[in-house]
Amino acid sequence: MRSLFYTHFFFPIFVIMKNILVTGGAGFIGSHTAVELIAAGYGVIIVDNLSNADTTCLDGVSKITGIKIPFYKVDCCDKREMQKIFQENEIDGAIHFAAFKAVGESVQKPLMYYYNNISSFTTLLEVMVESGGGNVVFSSSATVYGQADVLPVTEETPRKTAISPYGNTKQICEDILQDAVRAHSGLQGVILRYFNPIGAHPSALIGELPRGIPNNLVPFITQTAAGIRRELQIFGNDYNTPDGTALRDYIDIVDLAAAHVLALKRMTDHKGAGKCEIFNVGTGVPVSVMELVLKFQEVNKVNLKYKITGRREGDVEAIWADTSLANKILGWKTSRPIEETLANAWAWEKKLRGIIS
Ligand code: UFG
């Protein structure tokens, strides 16, 4: 049964709320996207097997929105369970985040990555096709560009052969969505290529919560500042960049989440099945690892212990986005300066660890 709500107290106008299935909705990007979807008037249903998340962010989403979101602890590779979710709910579209994401681990366990990341996506698409189709947003990554020859990268920049099984699963899933949308008239798709998502919700009720030792820079920084990690290693200062450390495009998590809402709106406005568009989601501004570390310390008034070590295998030297397509077609733009994003990341870590300052 679809949810209905009143738009006016005295003269009720029924509006059909569109329900979006968010796979991997207990995770970092998924939970922030759930908040933005609810704020935009969508109904949200979350499915997550909690293999790389717990319920902390689900509780946070409820606190921020005041809504208890329907949650299924289900593996997206489990077709029967996915079919049940579609039978129990009127689902208009899906945003697919559920995937393993550690680059290094994917090199050690390629089969686990290929099975999980591809199977979960094809299962979702199969079940959607069986139930008449819908709009799908696929969470892709700047990793598909590898080390691009020309910067910034546009959506037309050729993809490079992936250097990790993780990166390969992103490329394969992009292709799967393109093919599926072409073949099944009820499906529409948008592929969002994220650059480096960082930060946390300004409420500090949801944020990044990696299991074990963080792979990514900002959670490693916040955990070092919180005293959980002894020292940050800066992987390489001999790159051909202004200060020798690698350049990335760090995008605020709430801004990134907002792009998903606009991607759904784009598909709804389009009403043209058979289409699958691609958008870069970054800031367009390259920031070096060293700059980010210094900025974090300055903004949050903390001292970080760090040392320069050798390059990390598989890292590209520099990548940042040309975001003009998302700006123009989706009407999306970034809204938060990086200082605020870094303050939010630290506020979240402090709240999580009970640090009062
Ligand atoms: N870095 C450090 N020390 C750390 C962690 C990272 O110096 O402890 C450096 C990295 O070497 C890199 C930069 O910080 O230069 C950013 O590293 P992240 O691990 O935060 O992010 P990546 O750019 O490697 O990874 C991101 C996404 C991946 C995606 C990848 C490919 O998190 O999902 O981009 O573009 F696959």
Side-chain angles (χ1 to χ4, degrees):
M1 176 72 181
R2 281 173 194 253
S3 325
L4 302 174
F5 65 91
Y6 294 99
T7 56
H8 193 285
F9 187 68
F10 292 107
F11 303 101
I13 299 165
F14 290 107
V15 173
I16 294 175
M17 188 190 277
K18 287 208 178 295
N19 287 327
I20 305 300
L21 184 71
V22 180
T23 77
F28 179 43
I29 311 178
S31 58
H32 286 80
T33 301
V35 169
E36 294 307 303
L37 286 169
I38 290 164
Y42 286 95
V44 172
I45 298 138
I46 288 180
V47 51
D48 198 305
N49 65 3
L50 300 183
S51 65
N52 195 31
D54 57 26
T55 53
T56 308
C57 286
L58 290 177
D59 297 339
V61 173
S62 294
K63 281 187 193 140
I64 295 167
T65 61
I67 290 173
K68 183 119 187 63
I69 295 175
F71 168 61
Y72 291 85
K73 184 177 179 299
V74 158
D75 190 322
C76 293
C77 301
D78 187 333
K79 191 167 178 188
R80 284 240 172 102
E81 290 297 321
M82 291 294 280
Q83 283 169 325
K84 262 202 236 162
I85 297 173
F86 275 77
Q87 280 154 14
E88 287 170 16
N89 301 276
E90 188 83 39
I91 292 173
D92 301 280
I95 307 183
H96 184 64
F97 297 106
F100 293 151
K101 60 175 188 178
V103 177
E105 185 186 48
S106 79
V107 177
Q108 308 302 322
K109 299 175 182 170
L111 299 180
M112 186 175 102
Y113 269 68
Y114 283 117
Y115 175 73
N116 182 67
N117 290 7
I118 293 167
S119 201
S120 63
F121 194 39
T122 52
T123 303
L124 170 69
L125 293 174
E126 271 178 358
V127 175
M128 287 185 79
V129 168
E130 284 169 13
S131 52
N135 297 332
V136 188
V137 181
F138 175 64
S139 117
S140 189
S141 162
T143 197
V144 301
Y145 297 114
Q147 181 56 73
D149 301 326
V150 179
L151 291 167
V153 290
T154 73
E155 293 77 1
E156 300 298 312
T157 300
R159 298 185 321 188
K160 289 262 169 86
T161 305
I163 45 177
S164 72
Y166 160 79
N168 208 9
T169 66
K170 289 292 172 196
Q171 295 196 355
I172 293 168
C173 286
E174 284 193 354
D175 297 344
I176 288 172
L177 184 56
Q178 302 266 12
D179 289 344
V181 161
R182 222 172 282 129
H184 300 287
S185 56
L187 274 186
Q188 259 191 121
V190 164
I191 292 166
L192 296 180
R193 291 179 177 157
Y194 313 147
F195 284 68
N196 288 58
I198 62 165
H201 193 268
S203 64
L205 289 167
I206 54 174
E208 202 165 0
L209 194 54
R211 289 218 163 141
I213 302 171
N215 286 306
N216 298 116
L217 181 60
V218 170
F220 206 105
I221 289 177
T222 55
Q223 290 198 8
T224 307
I228 298 160
R229 308 284 153 211
R230 201 170 53 81
E231 176 177 61
L232 169 75
Q233 296 182 50
I234 293 181
F235 299 135
N237 68 346
D238 57 350
Y239 286 109
N240 185 23
T241 60
D243 65 16
T245 65
L247 294 173
R248 293 288 184 278
D249 183 337
Y250 297 96
I251 170 77
D252 182 89
I253 187 66
V254 177
D255 283 340
L256 173 63
H260 296 78
V261 176
L262 294 169
L264 285 172
K265 187 173 175 303
R266 167 79 177 160
M267 289 186 278
T268 310
D269 292 350
H270 237 171
K271 291 193 186 72
K275 259 196 172 305
C276 184
E277 293 179 302
I278 302 177
F279 300 99
N280 284 340
V281 191
T283 64
V285 180
V287 173
S288 79
V289 174
M290 189 53 95
E291 272 179 282
L292 196 88
V293 168
L294 296 177
K295 225 177 253 291
F296 181 88
Q297 297 188 106
E298 186 193 319
V299 167
N300 295 313
K301 302 187 174 39
V302 291
N303 278 322
L304 269 184
K305 201 164 173 238
Y306 63 85
K307 71 168 180 211
I308 310 283
T309 61
R311 292 182 181 192
R312 183 172 68 178
E313 206 187 322
D315 273 347
V316 297
E317 178 169 277
I319 184 143
W320 68 96
D322 179 325
T323 61
S324 26
L325 198 66
N327 302 150
K328 188 171 150 220
I329 306 287
L330 296 181
W332 175 83
K333 58 180 172 27
T334 54
S335 68
R336 218 174 287 271
I338 195 162
E339 289 78 7
E340 213 176 303
T341 303
L342 292 173
N344 288 340
W346 181 224
W348 156 251
E349 187 75 54
K350 279 197 296 186
K351 183 143 197 249
L352 202 60
R353 312 294 170 190
I355 299 169
I356 302 151
S357 65

